Amino acid sequence: MDISMDAAEILEAVWTLQEQGDASLADVRRMAHTEVTDHLLRQVEQEGLIAVDPAGRVSLTAKGEALAASIIRRHRLAERLMYDVLNADVEETEDAACEFEHLIAEGITNAICTLLGHPRYCPHQRPIPEGPCCQPAREQVSSIVVPCDHLRIGEVGRVAYLSTQDHPRLLKLTALGVTPGVHLRLLQKWPSYVIQCDETEIALEEAIARHIYVWRALDDEPAQLRHQGIE
């Protein structure tokens, strides 16, 4: 169901207020990132998305809750993407996420969720509603994205992204071939981290290893690993 951006903002506000315990009309008007007019409220109510009781408390209907969950999921995943991957300040993610939540399609949302390892909470520690990609991920825990230092000795991962704002460090890793999509194997953790990337062994400080996020290798990847000289 397609709804207007203004209606989406109301659903998002009601969801957030209900998480905190109660949603009054006054609080919805205060929290929503849009001008909440009486006409807009009636429109959203007539669409069967919210209910307003005589005391002025607002609640989501079943239809409204399903839509709100989708909106909140996009918003909070966008926050995680900006915080984890782009290293944005947690407070800077809010406004951008408000724009992002109206733009990304469901398939892209699930791809972002998978990239981030199906996070349970946003940077503000508010829960992220699950999507259709999350349940299969729990059943295949080996496919989640983890920092390189979480790999076991000998375990192979495929680089998902590099999470650092240190440009010299980023350039150095890139020059060594540690780029998204490349497979690497963790060879040792002490006294320093050593990874094998292509045919090169690279020693890393723990702080650097923590900023290399990798997919744990899947069972159907051995041919590609052999091609890269990892196996």
Side-chain angles (χ1 to χ4, degrees):
M1 177 182 178
D2 293 329
I3 60 174
S4 68
M5 290 178 61
D6 290 336
E9 293 293 348
I10 288 181
L11 297 185
E12 183 178 0
V14 176
W15 175 287
T16 303
L17 288 166
Q18 286 186 335
E19 282 183 324
Q20 298 169 6
D22 191 32
S24 68
L25 275 174
D27 286 337
V28 171
R29 294 182 194 277
R30 173 181 56 80
M31 176 169 285
H33 292 269
T34 189
E35 183 181 0
V36 182
T37 63
D38 291 340
H39 173 74
L40 178 59
L41 279 170
R42 280 196 302 274
Q43 184 180 24
V44 177
E45 190 174 13
Q46 289 169 357
E47 290 177 350
L49 303 177
I50 61 170
V52 183
D53 71 14
R57 287 188 294 273
V58 187
S59 59
L60 295 168
T61 64
K63 185 164 67 171
E65 185 170 313
L67 283 171
S70 176
I71 296 164
I72 291 290
R73 173 173 161 77
R74 291 197 298 272
H75 182 107
R76 293 179 181 174
L77 281 173
E79 289 182 322
R80 280 245 70 104
L81 180 68
M82 286 179 274
Y83 182 74
D84 292 348
V85 179
L86 305 181
N87 287 301
D89 183 84
V90 65
E91 298 306 324
E92 293 176 348
T93 63
E94 176 65 25
D95 289 342
C98 285
E99 299 293 329
F100 212 67
E101 71 191 29
H102 299 294
L103 301 175
I104 52 179
E106 182 68 16
I108 301 299
T109 303
N110 293 334
I112 292 171
C113 185
T114 302
L115 171 68
L116 297 174
H118 308 282
R120 304 287 298 275
Y121 296 92
C122 76
H124 302 90
Q125 296 305 306
R126 293 177 297 207
I128 300 173
E130 288 191 353
C133 58
C134 298
Q135 179 64 36
R138 279 200 300 272
E139 296 170 355
Q140 299 179 10
V141 293
S142 61
S143 67
I144 64 174
V145 176
V146 298
C148 177
D149 65 325
H150 285 203
L151 294 178
R152 299 182 296 275
I153 299 295
E155 187 175 1
V156 174
R158 178 162 50 90
V159 178
Y161 58 89
L162 308 176
S163 175
T164 177
Q165 289 184 322
D166 186 330
H167 289 279
R169 177 179 294 173
L170 183 63
L171 289 173
K172 182 179 179 180
L173 288 172
T174 301
L176 291 170
V178 183
T179 56
V182 167
H183 287 87
L184 58 81
R185 181 190 297 279
L186 181 63
L187 299 179
Q188 73 173 46
K189 293 189 177 184
W190 192 88
S192 63
Y193 280 76
V194 176
I195 61 173
Q196 179 189 357
C197 185
D198 199 359
E199 297 182 353
T200 304
E201 294 186 4
I202 305 168
L204 303 170
E205 297 174 7
E206 182 178 357
I208 297 177
R210 283 203 302 266
H211 288 90
I212 303 172
Y213 281 77
V214 299
W215 296 81
R216 291 186 188 277
L218 302 178
D219 294 338
D220 59 354
E221 292 183 316
Q224 189 172 2
L225 300 184
R226 283 194 296 274
H227 176 72
Q228 293 192 8
I230 299 295
E231 186 174 272

